[in-house]
Amino acid sequence: MSKTDSIDYRGKTVVISGGSSGIGLGIARHLAALGARLIVLGRTQAKLDDTVATITAEGGEAHAYAVDVRESAKIGEVLADCKQRFGGVDVVIAAAAGNFFAPAERISPNGFKTVIEIDLIGTYNLFWSSLSALNKPGAVLLAITAPQAQRPMPAQAHACAAKAGIDMLVKCLAMEWGALGVRVNAVSPGPIAGTEGLAKLSASPEIEKFVRDATALKHFGHVDDIARSVAFLCSPNAGYITGSILDCDGGMRHGNFISL
Ligand code: HXC
Ligand code: NAP
């Protein structure tokens, strides 16, 4: 085994939007346990305080900024501050998202726009603002996408459009910024137990069963499944992987959603 086969984030600074709950929190805790310094972004100060306290209690290092990913100027200020305080950033993860379960006739134009702005434009805001703060070459950008990007799903027109946009954005930025020494990838989680995202999709026990049965593995995933995939993709072990979507979804992207 060569030295690079073991995953080690000591000396690395990681910025993550949406790192204060659910999947993002799981990623933040996992990377902190591997030695990274975590910078967590979210809107709610109390959730950020809890996250910093949790990671610190686990022996890691974490800092937080209360910011909305839709506010591009403020995201720019946060990344500039990170560069000054921490000497640059090595990994940037866009995990913040918003979703709700609604058939298209009940998604108002503002509802549609809201999800596009948080998921797709928020990801662009974060990645674009990061570019001047990244420690290049060797920096990594990673987006959290969803099976909705690859499959039309009922009551998910807004999320499907937003996540499909993220997948293509990842591929475009990978092609444009690869020469700068920046890799750009995404992880696509399936339904992850105990998360807000799954709760929003499981409006009834019947729908929850339907979603579980839509996976090939017939069970929900765990936040650690996603955290481990992210840790790999953002490590030197994945040094020749860019413009890729890693499906960590129990096969959900192949599932049947027509009768939902
Ligand atoms: C229809 C809705 C709605 C609903 C909100 N809207 N909820 N429309 N059905 N259930 C509409 C509102 O009526 C409004 O439009 C517009 O959306 C904006 O609503 P606000 O409440 O003002 O927006 P905001 O406060 O910015 O909140 C954004 C949010 C909220 C997305 C609506 O739920 C949020 O902050 N979510 C973050 C947490 C989250 O969703 N986590 C899950 C991520 S999981 P009008 O026209 O009335 O003004 C995920 C994918 C999971 O992304 C995939 C699983 C496989
Ligand atoms: P979650 O628990 O609701 O977490 C969302 C996080 O994003 C929170 O930290 C939230 O904090 C933050 N956030 C939301 N809107 C924001 C905004 N406008 N600006 C800044 N931060 C914002 O969600 P989750 O279910 O774990 O999902 C996390 C990611 O995984 C999302 O990208 C989601 O699309 C994806 N995903 C989830 C599943 C699943 O099964 N859960 C499946 C596939 C993909 P604040 O509210 O304090 O801002």
Side-chain angles (χ1 to χ4, degrees), residues 126-181:
L126 183 63
F127 286 177
W128 189 86
S129 293
S130 300
L131 195 58
S132 54
L134 291 175
N135 294 323
K136 303 183 277 292
V140 187
L141 304 179
L142 184 127
I144 300 297
T145 180
Q148 278 88 335
Q150 303 176 50
R151 291 295 305 269
M153 291 186 200
Q156 288 287 276
H158 49 341
C160 290
K163 295 295 193 182
I166 288 175
D167 282 13
M168 186 51 77
L169 177 66
V170 159
K171 294 169 194 174
C172 290
L173 295 184
M175 293 311 295
E176 292 211 28
W177 293 349
L180 302 175

Side-chain angles (χ1 to χ4, degrees), residues 80-202:
D81 196 58
C82 287
K83 185 178 180 182
Q84 195 183 17
R85 278 176 78 186
F86 307 115
V89 172
D90 302 288
V91 175
V92 176
I93 300 167
N99 196 14
F100 47 80
F101 188 82
E105 60 273 20
R106 292 214 296 269
I107 305 173
S108 70
N110 189 44
F112 190 86
K113 182 177 151 201
T114 297
V115 170
I116 296 289
E117 281 186 342
I118 299 172
D119 294 21
L120 177 56
I121 299 175
T123 297
Y124 189 76
N125 289 342
L126 183 63
F127 286 177
W128 189 86
S129 293
S130 300
L131 195 58
S132 54
L134 291 175
N135 294 323
K136 303 183 277 292
V140 187
L141 304 179
L142 184 127
I144 300 297
T145 180
Q148 278 88 335
Q150 303 176 50
R151 291 295 305 269
M153 291 186 200
Q156 288 287 276
H158 49 341
C160 290
K163 295 295 193 182
I166 288 175
D167 282 13
M168 186 51 77
L169 177 66
V170 159
K171 294 169 194 174
C172 290
L173 295 184
M175 293 311 295
E176 292 211 28
W177 293 349
L180 302 175
V182 180
R183 295 189 296 111
V184 191
N185 292 301
V187 167
S188 178
I192 303 302
T195 61
E196 181 72 15
L198 181 56
K200 287 195 171 197
L201 283 196
S202 306

Side-chain angles (χ1 to χ4, degrees), residues 6 20 22 27 64 73 86 88 111 118 122 125 136 154 169 174 214 218 230-231 234 247:
S6 63
S20 61
I27 295 167
F86 307 115
I118 299 172
N125 289 342
K136 303 183 277 292
L169 177 66
K218 308 300 177 198
V230 170
C234 295
D247 298 299

